[in-house]
Amino acid sequence: SHSQPHAPPRPVRSARNARPAMPTYPDEIEYSQKYADDTYEYRHVILPKTIARSMFKISGCKRLLEEHEWRGLGVQQSLGWAHYEIHRPEQHILLFRRPLGTDPVTGKAQKQRR
């Protein structure tokens, strides 16, 4: 079987005519595969309900989480990732990105060559 190139995973939305789906929460923190464009690599992290509640207490979903905050919730990933967007339909899904070529040990992005 030959492998198809992966399309970037999209946050799950219910079918158009279906009733609005209740968010589905995993039992433990789930990490998506990484996907990329020309500038950044991305991943999303799906929080279980209890951890999502803690996140709502921290930020009220009014602002992005600082690195020490998402690490404090138990999200584990290498250095350089930043929470960059609040996914309004499913706020327990954290969207992260980091510049392509980031060193996962130092978290420093390599300078882009022009």
Side-chain angles (χ1 to χ4, degrees), residues 7 22 44-45 47 53 60 68 72 74 80-81 88 104 109:
M22 287 303 291
H44 52 268
V45 174
L47 301 178
R53 278 202 197 106
H68 72 92
W81 291 100
R88 295 276 171 219

Side-chain angles (χ1 to χ4, degrees), residues 5 48 51 53 59 62 73 93 98 101 103-105 110:
I51 296 176
R53 278 202 197 106
S59 68
K62 303 277 193 292
L73 292 171
I93 300 179
R98 68 180 174 189
D103 183 322
V105 176
Q110 296 168 357

Side-chain angles (χ1 to χ4, degrees), residues 41 78-81 98-110:
E41 63 178 335
S78 54
L79 296 181
W81 291 100
R98 68 180 174 189
L100 286 175
T102 296
D103 183 322
V105 176
T106 64
K108 300 279 185 273
Q110 296 168 357

Side-chain angles (χ1 to χ4, degrees), residues 57-76:
K57 284 188 189 123
I58 292 169
S59 68
C61 281
K62 303 277 193 292
R63 63 171 177 80
L64 299 173
L65 296 175
E66 304 283 339
E67 181 170 354
H68 72 92
E69 291 172 330
W70 55 256
R71 288 197 188 279
L73 292 171
V75 175
Q76 296 177 347

Side-chain angles (χ1 to χ4, degrees), residues 6-74:
H6 289 296
R10 294 223 170 73
V12 181
R13 293 225 171 75
S14 57
R16 202 174 329 162
N17 298 328
R19 283 173 297 157
M22 287 303 291
T24 51
Y25 292 92
D27 293 328
E28 52 193 48
I29 295 174
E30 284 184 4
Y31 300 86
S32 76
Q33 296 295 315
K34 294 173 198 159
Y35 44 105
D37 60 19
D38 294 337
T39 311
Y40 292 100
E41 63 178 335
Y42 301 89
R43 73 149 34 129
H44 52 268
V45 174
I46 307 173
L47 301 178
K49 187 174 270 185
T50 51
I51 296 176
R53 278 202 197 106
S54 303
M55 179 197 65
F56 297 146
K57 284 188 189 123
I58 292 169
S59 68
C61 281
K62 303 277 193 292
R63 63 171 177 80
L64 299 173
L65 296 175
E66 304 283 339
E67 181 170 354
H68 72 92
E69 291 172 330
W70 55 256
R71 288 197 188 279
L73 292 171

